[in-house]
Amino acid sequence: MNDDQFRRILDDLGYSWQGYRKVRKRVIKRLVRHMQQLDIRDVDDYREKIRSAAEIRQKTQQLMAVSISRFFRDRPLWKCIKEKLIPEILSGNPTRVNVWSAGCALGQEIYSFKMLWLLLQDESIPLPPLSLVATDINRECLDKAAGGEYDEHVVKTLPENYLKRFFLYDRGRYFVIDDLKQDITWQLHDLMSITPPKDYFHIIFLRNNLLTYYKKEFHEGPVNRCIDALTRGGYLIVGARENIFVDEQKLSRVRDFHGIFQKK
């Protein structure tokens, strides 16, 4: 499968070439293996199967998922979450804080938030119960994330005290502790078609997935569903290099960080 053929599949699915350009080789390998499993040799025949067979289309979409992520990706963002967002949420005296990682990949983002929360607990800061929801379109990624097992190179950006506090080490592998896994619900979910509960989440992470890998004309519906799912004053967080159309009647940009928006 060459780049031109891959781009036609992207067009069929509504995905962005710019988003996939740097990761295309690994994704193409997955699609070629899928074609071999289906005993399909021609890319146009494969495209026809994707269009006509819902099960094959769903599997192809799962294979298109990109699971690249890091713990505490974009450090200034996490500083802002700790010093500004969480205190502002707590000032409203919520009975529970609800957080959603949409497109959670291998779980580093939701585990990062839970680490932050536990560190605040270590400081004896009074905190309400926490509910974390991590969703992805790829079941394999969800299972790996829920397992909480990572190679050394995945955790190398974490400080040593974080590794000691939140992980167990065994023969070159790091395993998140049970305290880190608590309060997290892992769910198979496609934001392109499934509507989340309204007025529920205090923070929604929508970073470096849908807005990067789908064409812009497909952004509006999922973004609006996320806005509807936020509580009043809740925060929508996108990637540092991602842009969304801002409906000023619904959202205002938080000045401290480019990718944070607050629901009015």
Side-chain angles (χ1 to χ4, degrees):
M1 184 184 298
N2 58 38
D3 283 354
D4 287 340
Q5 292 170 325
F6 179 60
R7 291 184 76 152
R8 288 198 287 273
I9 292 176
L10 293 178
D11 288 339
D12 291 342
L13 295 171
Y15 292 136
S16 162
W17 164 254
Q18 187 60 34
Y20 277 94
R21 183 175 60 83
K22 292 183 179 180
V23 298
R24 68 188 186 280
K25 290 183 180 180
R26 71 184 69 179
V27 177
I28 287 174
K29 286 182 180 179
R30 295 180 204 158
L31 298 183
V32 169
R33 284 197 296 269
H34 190 212
M35 289 176 61
Q36 292 170 346
Q37 292 167 359
L38 296 171
D39 196 24
I40 297 175
R41 297 182 180 182
D42 184 82
V43 173
D44 286 335
D45 290 341
Y46 182 49
R47 292 172 61 208
E48 179 57 36
K49 284 289 186 180
I50 293 172
R51 288 191 292 265
S52 60
E55 184 177 344
I56 292 177
R57 183 182 182 90
Q58 183 180 33
K59 179 62 177 179
T60 304
Q61 289 174 320
Q62 292 174 357
L63 294 173
M64 299 293 292
V66 179
S67 59
I68 299 171
S69 188
R70 296 189 301 275
F71 289 102
F72 294 101
R73 184 174 186 171
D74 299 325
R75 293 281 176 170
L77 165 67
W78 293 97
K79 184 174 186 293
C80 182
I81 291 172
K82 180 182 179 181
E83 297 180 359
K84 181 179 176 65
L85 271 58
I86 291 179
E88 287 195 5
I89 290 170
L90 296 181
S91 70
N93 297 315
T95 57
R96 178 182 297 273
V97 172
N98 302 310
V99 178
W100 177 21
S101 173
C104 65
L106 296 179
Q108 291 99 321
E109 184 173 74
I110 205 70
Y111 283 133
S112 295
F113 189 91
K114 186 61 184 293
M115 287 185 217
L116 203 63
W117 194 262
L118 291 177
L119 289 172
L120 291 173
Q121 283 187 345
D122 291 347
E123 298 174 15
S124 298
I125 295 175
L127 299 171
L130 178 67
S131 175
L132 302 171
V133 178
T135 64
D136 203 277
I137 196 173
N138 189 310
R139 170 59 69 186
E140 184 179 350
C141 285
L142 280 174
D143 291 343
K144 288 181 179 179
E149 180 181 344
Y150 297 97
D151 291 330
E152 288 181 293
H153 75 274
V154 178
V155 302
K156 66 181 180 181
T157 57
L158 286 171
E160 186 65 27
N161 60 316
Y162 280 58
L163 293 177
K164 291 180 178 179
R165 171 72 172 84
F166 299 114
F167 292 84
L168 300 174
Y169 178 78
D170 183 37
R171 291 174 291 184
R173 306 285 289 174
Y174 284 84
F175 301 83
V176 302
I177 61 174
D178 288 342
D179 282 354
L180 209 59
K181 292 182 178 181
Q182 289 181 0
D183 307 316
I184 302 177
T185 300
W186 307 92
Q187 294 180 355
L188 196 66
H189 182 274
D190 183 0
L191 188 57
M192 296 298 293
S193 58
I194 302 175
T195 301
K198 290 190 176 183
D199 305 318
Y200 184 77
F201 294 103
H202 296 88
I203 295 177
I204 296 177
F205 292 95
L206 186 65
R207 299 200 303 155
N208 307 302
N209 48 71
L210 183 144
L211 298 177
T212 295
Y213 298 109
Y214 278 89
K215 292 182 176 181
K216 289 183 178 180
E217 55 263 36
F218 292 91
H219 293 178
E220 184 177 356
V223 169
N224 282 331
R225 283 192 278 275
C226 285
I227 295 171
D228 289 342
L230 285 171
T231 60
R232 181 182 298 179
Y235 296 96
L236 176 63
I237 303 176
V238 304
R241 294 191 177 96
E242 292 178 324
N243 291 296
I244 61 172
F245 171 76
V246 179
D247 184 340
E248 296 183 356
Q249 293 183 346
K250 295 181 178 180
L251 293 178
S252 59
R253 191 184 297 272
V254 175
R255 293 182 180 179
D256 300 45
F257 192 81
H258 169 78
I260 303 177
F261 300 86
Q262 187 172 27
K263 184 175 179 179
K264 292 185 177 180

